[in-house]
Amino acid sequence: DTEVTQTPKHLVMGMTNKKSLKCEQHMGHRAMYWYKQKAKKPPELMFVYSYEKLSINESVPSRFSPECPNSSLLNLHLHALQPEDSALYLCASSQVENRGPGDEQFFGPGTRLTVL
Amino acid sequence: GESVGLHLPTLSVQEGDNSIINCAYSNSASDYFIWYKQESGKGPQFIIDIRSNMDKRQGQRVTVLLNKTVKHLSLQIAATQPGDSAVYFCADCSNRDDKIIFGKGTRLHILP
């Protein structure tokens, strides 16, 4: 299995809702990432988990809360989002944290989030 | 500061012709680059990578060239096909802070 899967594919939520995005990989990768991608822009790093521990938080607002329950799963909990948070949320994984050749990141298809 | 940029936001190419997508970087210490392809509605997909000890690397229909003197790399796609339509990102993956630095992206549009 060489895939990163993400659910749901699409999500529409109100500003008072609580929802979660899910990401799964079975490649034995020990680093997992959340990115946010706005239209016509490159992905922006949000969080990095390494060996199930949060290693990088790119000053992301607390209304985004990541969780790594085990080495195969990564969640992103959403609460009290704003319309400007509407974007494609991408999950990625790599063998270890990005350290050059052989450790490229594999991306999932993303969750298209719309905040009303 | 660190930046990875692309010279053209959109490139239109006749089907069957070769495509060349360019990218410039600013950190002379950068030593590993990846080209990603992102089709509509999908996540970025790895196409090809290159280390700084090489100046050329070839894959199936794709070639990446690296010119460290002018801090420039390019992606060449031979015999461009409709399935090559996508946004292409160059990425500096050599940053020791464990972060990828993505370029702005170039949209490749295939003309019939």
Side-chain angles (χ1 to χ4, degrees):
Chain A
D1 188 351
T2 57
E3 262 195 320
V4 176
T5 59
Q6 290 187 244
T7 55
K9 287 195 72 168
H10 301 275
L11 179 62
V12 180
M13 60 187 290
M15 289 189 283
T16 57
N17 292 157
K18 282 186 183 181
K19 296 285 185 184
S20 296
L21 309 184
K22 297 187 184 304
C23 174
E24 192 166 359
Q25 57 87 15
H26 295 288
M27 294 179 277
H29 290 173
R30 302 311 300 269
M32 296 185 77
Y33 310 77
W34 279 116
Y35 288 86
K36 173 182 177 180
Q37 187 177 27
K38 300 286 270 184
K40 300 181 182 179
K41 298 285 186 184
E44 297 173 22
L45 184 66
M46 299 174 71
F47 302 104
V48 180
Y49 271 83
S50 178
Y51 293 88
E52 296 141 61
K53 288 188 170 28
L54 183 66
S55 63
I56 294 177
N57 176 342
E58 287 287 282
S59 303
V60 180
S62 60
R63 58 187 184 269
F64 296 91
S65 175
E67 179 198 18
C68 190
N70 61 55
S71 60
S72 300
L73 292 173
L74 185 66
N75 298 323
L76 186 63
H77 302 298
L78 314 173
H79 176 52
L81 294 194
Q82 304 296 310
E84 59 264 29
D85 296 322
S86 298
L88 181 69
Y89 288 84
L90 293 162
C91 174
S93 70
S94 65
Q95 286 188 335
V96 291
E97 287 184 69
N98 179 42
R99 284 183 194 151
D103 194 35
E104 54 264 20
Q105 293 183 22
F106 293 79
F107 285 83
T111 293
R112 176 74 59 190
L113 175 67
T114 302
V115 182
L116 301 176
Chain B
E2 176 78 42
S3 70
V4 182
L6 290 164
H7 294 307
L8 290 172
T10 303
L11 177 66
S12 295
V13 174
Q14 206 76 37
E15 184 178 346
D17 286 353
N18 297 336
S19 303
I20 300 176
I21 300 171
N22 295 304
C23 184
Y25 62 97
S26 59
N27 188 345
S28 56
S30 295
D31 59 3
Y32 179 54
F33 300 91
I34 291 177
W35 280 99
Y36 283 95
K37 172 186 181 183
Q38 188 173 21
E39 296 176 87
S40 181
K42 297 185 179 179
Q45 292 175 280
F46 173 96
I47 303 174
I48 193 168
D49 60 356
I50 190 165
R51 298 186 70 171
S52 60
N53 61 352
M54 306 171 74
D55 53 19
K56 180 179 180 178
R57 189 148 189 246
Q58 286 186 286
Q60 188 178 14
R61 280 203 308 119
V62 294
T63 301
V64 56
L65 300 178
L66 176 61
N67 185 329
K68 294 178 287 295
T69 303
V70 296
K71 298 197 284 287
H72 179 273
L73 67 158
S74 66
L75 177 70
Q76 300 180 5
I77 304 173
T80 311
Q81 301 169 358
D84 296 326
S85 288
V87 176
Y88 290 82
F89 293 101
C90 62
D92 181 343
C93 302
S94 44
N95 193 310
R96 299 306 172 202
D97 289 337
D98 301 313
K99 298 175 191 175
I100 289 177
I101 299 172
F102 283 96
K104 291 184 175 64
T106 292
R107 178 172 296 283
L108 180 62
H109 177 60
I110 313 305
L111 302 168

